[in-house]
Amino acid sequence: MADNSTCIEPFLKCCQETSNCFTDCTDGVEDMFSDSISGQLWRVEAMLFVNAILAGVMVGIGAYGHRYRHYGFTRYLLLGATTLFLPIISYVLSAFGSVGYEFDVTIPSQLIATCRAYFIHTYMVIVSICLVLISAINTSPIVATDDREDRSIHPPFELLVQGIWIVYLARKSFALGHNPRLIVGYMQQLQVENDQHASEEDVPPPAPLVVMGEDGHKLEKQPHGFMFGKNLEEVQQGGLVTIDRVWQLENLFLKDICLSFALFKLLRCRYARYKLTNVIPIETFKFVRNILLKDGEHERAFAMIADELSFLHDYYDSPLLVSYSDNWLVIVSMIISLLSVGYCIFVGTDIITAAWLKSQDVNKDFGNLYFDVVPVLLLLVFVAVAEAKDIASHICSNWTKVILTCRCVRRASLKLSPVLPKWVGFLLRCRCGRLMRHWSDKMRQSSLLVLPGSGCLLRLLDRKKNVEVPTAVKACIIDALRSTSSEGLSKGTTSLRQSQDGRSLLWACNNGKGTSDTILVWHIATAILEMRHLHHQPDDDPPLQTLHGGRSFSVSEKKTAATHLSHYCAYLVASCPELLPDDDACSKYLYNKVKKDTDRALAIGSGTPVSPMSPEAGYRQLIEMLGATQNHEVLKDAAKLAKQLGEVAGGEEIVWELLAGFWSEMVLYLAPSDNLKGHLQAIDRGGELITLLWGLLTHIGIIDRPGDTAASASATGV
């Protein structure tokens, strides 16, 4: 080393004067320098490439939809990405900091620090680390809630500095963090004023539900929450926006989205374990019921509840929504995102230019330039996509529409000019399609009996597929709810009691067994009847007047509603028994037992092909096979029920009328639940029809099923 060290000083002097670190050095120093740095750089570059892939996973899952982080494979994929990127960054920093010190302690660190190759690698490492951290921040949920909700999610320790200020503001906000306590107190305050000004109008007036503007008012601490220190009229004049003021607008969509937002705040009170029926005035329930159950507007009702659950999902599972604790935070967030996109474009251009110039250099380099450039460019694309999505989310989200609508309401109350910039009007009219829609308007289907095509007899198949929720399903559910909500929910018995044919089927509902038994009996019977009427032509359907006295339904609409709800309820028993009234373990055991018995029963008769049979002959053979003495009681009851339905006077029209009425009432009976955790998990997965009905029933005052007592401890956790 003595000979080599003699050229260090001229080497350093050369490094200061020219870009070539090896011009005047001996081959020994060059080899020593190259060997010591190349291996480290290759490892660092490989780790940077892996981190780019991990960042792509985080951004991809986050950009495509946060609900996918709750599915099995993507959940573990995202968990692995978010877990590994920090150790990799730590390794890169520690490894890169040690580069150049391994070959000889007598060679000064300036030897490396002055090399242009080292500077390029250093620049790439720093940029990569910054971009990966930005990607992680964009996909890390930061939720600030009331302590009663037990849902607060703070940023990871490594990202605490970036999120602590926003979390602090949101936690202290009565519009976000302490909202349930204020809403409950406000409802009690509203109850007192309603008692003093009782109304006997047939059509209830718009309820003054809180939309926005809770912060900035004097509040008084009460035993069950907070109340406004002034009367409500003075509070509204001070900037509180309520539904009765929004209802003066002409735009129906804006009124509906604000009502969904107000209902979302009420639903948060339920997650804070308040009993809503004890705090919400009767007049409020009447108003909401009048809106949601209006005849012929079932699509509107489902859309409003879907938007409400979307607000709930965004609040509990979004990395950005705490920025809505104050309007200026939204603006700052969008400015930061725009600057980030601009930064990505600038750095990307700079890197491409530097890489091109470096490729023209014939001097010796270390590592591989492409392993530096490609990961960084990928990271720049990922960050730009994530930031662009955040900008689009802020601009197109329903949260922004609510904020802008409330500003319009405030301007109107102050008698200011109603003229708005064109871009504001555009945003208020924009519905954004699928970009911001969380609920996909689909329902899963599962069936024990799959109808044959042209091959063998019905075979057992536990299939689970997603289908669009038909309009007929929504219409039948709202129609059933309109007639049964005042009488209490039932397991399908209310509609059956309205006709002699229906009363003869009550035994299949009141069999003294669990709800899951009833569902499977009626599901198998419905599938048998579906096979019998497989070749029905819907074009010639005469309209039928519903049993509940509402709109008219055709035979095909009734059949569509009955079969889809039958398959959906079977799916609930098979895959979501925790949302049903029965013990989930018992429901799973029953389903598997019936499934096994059905397989055995159908296997016995599988030698006779169905293709030569008429639908009527296949129907009778199924009844005979499933009704055999050795079969499970559910199969025998299903065969008995299917035979009885097939003998109903009036034929196919009356059969599907009875089945549609039964299944509409059954799915409504299943919806009320205290399993808040289960429904929140369903919302995280993208939503379930039963969860949407759960929210709908909550807002018209139906919290429990008839006969329900206190919920079990396992069901009440949040």
Side-chain angles (χ1 to χ4, degrees):
M1 283 307 301
D3 294 337
N4 291 336
S5 62
T6 58
C7 72
I8 294 299
E9 291 184 3
F11 180 87
L12 292 176
K13 181 178 180 181
C14 175
C15 287
Q16 296 171 355
E17 296 176 353
T18 180
S19 60
N20 187 358
C21 295
F22 297 94
T23 302
D24 299 322
C25 293
T26 64
D27 293 337
V29 172
E30 179 178 346
D31 294 340
M32 184 166 40
F33 189 84
S34 177
D35 293 342
S36 65
I37 199 172
S38 296
Q40 281 288 63
L41 287 178
W42 274 106
R43 289 192 291 272
V44 168
E45 289 165 346
M47 291 296 99
L48 291 179
F49 188 77
V50 172
N51 246 5
I53 296 175
L54 297 179
V57 170
M58 291 187 286
V59 173
I61 295 177
Y64 198 76
H66 288 287
R67 66 177 179 269
Y68 289 98
R69 60 171 94 209
H70 299 280
Y71 285 91
F73 174 74
T74 52
R75 180 174 71 248
Y76 290 116
L77 189 62
L78 182 62
L79 178 62
T82 54
T83 302
L84 289 175
F85 87 93
L86 282 173
I88 291 177
I89 287 177
S90 300
Y91 170 79
V92 169
L93 290 176
S94 61
F96 208 75
S98 66
V99 170
Y101 294 99
E102 295 179 0
F103 61 92
D104 198 289
V105 295
T106 64
I107 298 179
S109 60
Q110 290 91 334
L111 179 64
I112 298 171
T114 55
C115 292
R116 185 173 65 181
Y118 180 79
F119 284 139
I120 292 178
H121 290 296
T122 302
Y123 177 68
M124 296 297 185
V125 169
I126 294 174
V127 171
S128 298
I129 291 172
C130 292
L131 293 174
V132 172
L133 285 173
I134 292 173
S135 303
I137 293 171
N138 283 334
T139 54
S140 297
I142 303 174
V143 179
T145 63
D146 190 278
D147 293 336
R148 292 177 61 96
E149 294 174 272
D150 194 26
R151 292 287 303 172
S152 290
I153 301 176
H154 302 289
F157 178 77
E158 295 80 4
L159 306 176
L160 190 59
V161 176
Q162 295 91 336
I164 190 169
W165 176 241
I166 293 179
V167 172
Y168 172 77
L169 291 176
R171 284 281 287 130
K172 297 300 181 183
S173 168
F174 283 96
L176 291 178
H178 289 320
N179 196 252
R181 298 174 192 263
L182 177 59
I183 294 298
V184 168
Y186 170 79
M187 284 296 164
Q188 293 175 336
Q189 193 172 1
L190 190 63
Q191 180 76 61
V192 174
E193 295 199 6
N194 284 345
D195 292 340
Q196 296 174 354
H197 306 88
S199 174
E200 297 181 359
E201 299 179 26
D202 293 335
V203 179
L209 295 171
V210 173
V211 181
M212 195 164 285
E214 301 94 318
D215 282 331
H217 293 279
K218 181 181 179 181
L219 301 174
E220 295 179 355
K221 185 72 172 69
Q222 300 294 327
H224 301 291
F226 294 89
M227 290 186 180
F228 292 106
K230 303 177 182 179
N231 64 58
L232 298 185
E233 184 176 351
E234 293 179 353
V235 173
Q236 288 185 347
Q237 293 175 355
L240 183 69
V241 179
T242 53
I243 285 296
D244 55 331
R245 299 174 64 190
V246 174
W247 231 245
Q248 298 174 14
L249 300 175
E250 295 181 359
N251 190 306
L252 182 63
F253 170 70
L254 296 183
K255 292 195 289 187
D256 288 352
I257 202 67
C258 287
L259 180 56
S260 297
F261 191 75
L263 295 179
F264 144 72
K265 293 192 172 187
L266 289 178
L267 203 58
R268 276 191 63 191
C269 295
R270 186 165 186 187
Y271 274 95
R273 298 185 294 278
Y274 288 106
K275 190 74 171 178
L276 294 187
T277 52
N278 296 337
V279 298
I280 299 180
I282 298 298
E283 290 74 11
T284 300
F285 281 128
K286 289 181 179 179
F287 165 72
V288 176
R289 187 178 189 278
N290 183 64
I291 298 297
L292 296 179
L293 303 187
K294 187 174 293 185
D295 189 21
E297 297 192 5
H298 42 273
E299 292 285 356
R300 179 189 177 192
F302 274 72
M304 279 194 286
I305 300 300
D307 285 335
E308 176 200 0
L309 297 183
S310 178
F311 284 125
L312 192 72
H313 167 263
D314 288 343
Y315 186 78
Y316 283 139
D317 197 40
S318 170
L320 294 176
L321 265 299
V322 290
S323 62
Y324 283 95
S325 60
D326 204 316
N327 292 349
W328 68 266
L329 285 175
V330 180
I331 299 174
V332 170
S333 178
M334 293 181 64
I335 291 175
I336 293 175
S337 294
L338 284 172
L339 292 175
S340 298
V341 174
Y343 168 79
C344 291
I345 295 173
F346 172 77
V347 173
T349 304
D350 186 50
I351 289 176
I352 293 174
T353 303
W356 182 82
L357 292 174
K358 184 62 180 174
S359 66
Q360 309 302 313
D361 193 351
V362 298
N363 296 321
K364 185 169 182 178
D365 199 0
F366 303 101
N368 189 303
L369 185 63
Y370 294 108
F371 270 87
D372 281 334
V373 173
V374 173
V376 174
L377 291 179
L378 285 176
L379 284 170
L380 288 171
V381 172
F382 295 151
V383 171
V385 169
E387 297 293 352
K389 178 186 177 294
D390 291 343
I391 295 173
S393 299
H394 278 118
I395 293 176
C396 300
S397 75
N398 288 334
W399 292 75
T400 301
K401 293 183 177 63
V402 172
I403 291 174
L404 293 176
T405 301
C406 290
R407 295 186 73 87
C408 294
V409 171
R410 291 193 187 106
R411 290 180 63 89
S413 65
L414 296 175
K415 299 182 179 179
L416 299 177
S417 173
V419 178
L420 295 173
K422 290 184 178 180
W423 66 270
V424 174
F426 172 77
L427 287 181
L428 292 177
R429 291 190 300 270
C430 179
R431 302 195 181 213
C432 302
R434 295 181 177 271
L435 178 63
M436 303 304 300
R437 192 173 69 177
H438 177 66
W439 191 51
S440 58
D441 199 26
K442 292 186 176 182
M443 58 192 303
R444 291 197 175 271
Q445 305 280 275
S446 182
S447 181
L448 289 172
L449 302 176
V450 174
L451 299 179
S454 58
C456 63
L457 187 62
L458 292 180
R459 67 184 185 278
L460 179 69
L461 178 60
D462 183 25
R463 61 175 183 176
K464 300 178 181 66
K465 63 178 183 178
N466 256 348
V467 299
E468 294 286 340
V469 180
T471 298
V473 169
K474 300 175 183 178
C476 285
I477 289 175
I478 296 297
D479 184 69
L481 183 57
R482 192 181 299 114
S483 65
T484 60
S485 60
S486 59
E487 305 171 7
L489 303 176
S490 71
K491 296 182 182 181
T493 57
T494 300
S495 61
L496 293 178
R497 288 194 176 97
Q498 297 183 27
S499 68
Q500 180 60 43
D501 291 322
R503 286 193 290 272
S504 66
L505 305 175
L506 289 174
W507 65 269
C509 302
N510 303 321
N511 53 13
K513 297 181 180 179
T515 304
S516 298
D517 296 76
T518 303
I519 290 173
L520 294 182
V521 167
W522 283 82
H523 164 68
I524 296 173
T526 302
I528 295 174
L529 268 294
E530 186 180 1
M531 193 212 72
R532 187 187 193 190
H533 304 299
L534 182 63
H535 303 293
H536 172 80
Q537 298 297 326
D539 296 337
D540 302 327
D541 284 348
L544 294 178
Q545 184 69 22
T546 176
L547 292 174
H548 302 125
R551 59 157 283 187
S552 297
F553 294 91
S554 66
V555 176
S556 63
E557 287 178 317
K558 289 290 188 181
K559 180 180 178 182
T560 296
T563 53
H564 279 75
L565 288 174
S566 168
H567 293 314
Y568 181 68
C569 290
Y571 154 75
L572 292 177
V573 177
S575 302
C576 301
E578 68 277 2
L579 299 179
L580 301 180
D582 298 345
D583 178 77
D584 54 349
C586 293
S587 296
K588 286 183 179 180
Y589 174 81
L590 175 68
Y591 183 86
N592 292 330
K593 179 67 175 175
V594 173
K595 176 180 176 180
K596 182 178 179 180
D597 238 33
T598 306
D599 189 19
R600 181 190 53 77
L602 295 181
I604 294 176
S606 60
T608 306
V610 164
S611 50
M613 291 186 179
S614 65
E616 182 68 24
Y619 155 77
R620 296 187 180 282
Q621 185 183 17
L622 272 177
I623 291 178
E624 180 181 351
M625 291 166 52
L626 298 179
T629 306
Q630 70 272 19
N631 289 343
H632 194 282
E633 290 295 323
V634 166
L635 296 182
K636 292 189 287 186
D637 287 346
K640 177 182 175 182
L641 177 61
K643 180 179 180 180
Q644 194 171 345
L645 284 167
E647 297 170 353
V648 167
E652 182 179 359
E653 293 81 2
I654 302 301
V655 167
W656 292 117
E657 177 83 10
L658 293 172
L659 288 173
F662 168 82
W663 283 115
S664 299
E665 291 184 11
M666 173 58 79
V667 76
L668 287 171
Y669 176 82
L670 300 176
S673 171
D674 282 328
N675 188 357
L676 305 180
K677 181 178 180 180
H679 281 295
L680 192 59
Q681 290 173 342
I683 294 172
D684 290 340
R685 295 193 301 267
E688 287 281 359
L689 176 62
I690 192 174
T691 299
L692 193 143
L693 297 178
W694 169 77
L696 174 63
L697 292 173
T698 295
H699 295 307
I700 63 174
I702 301 178
I703 307 297
D704 303 311
R705 302 182 187 91
D708 274 3
T709 56
S712 64
S714 61
T716 56
V718 183

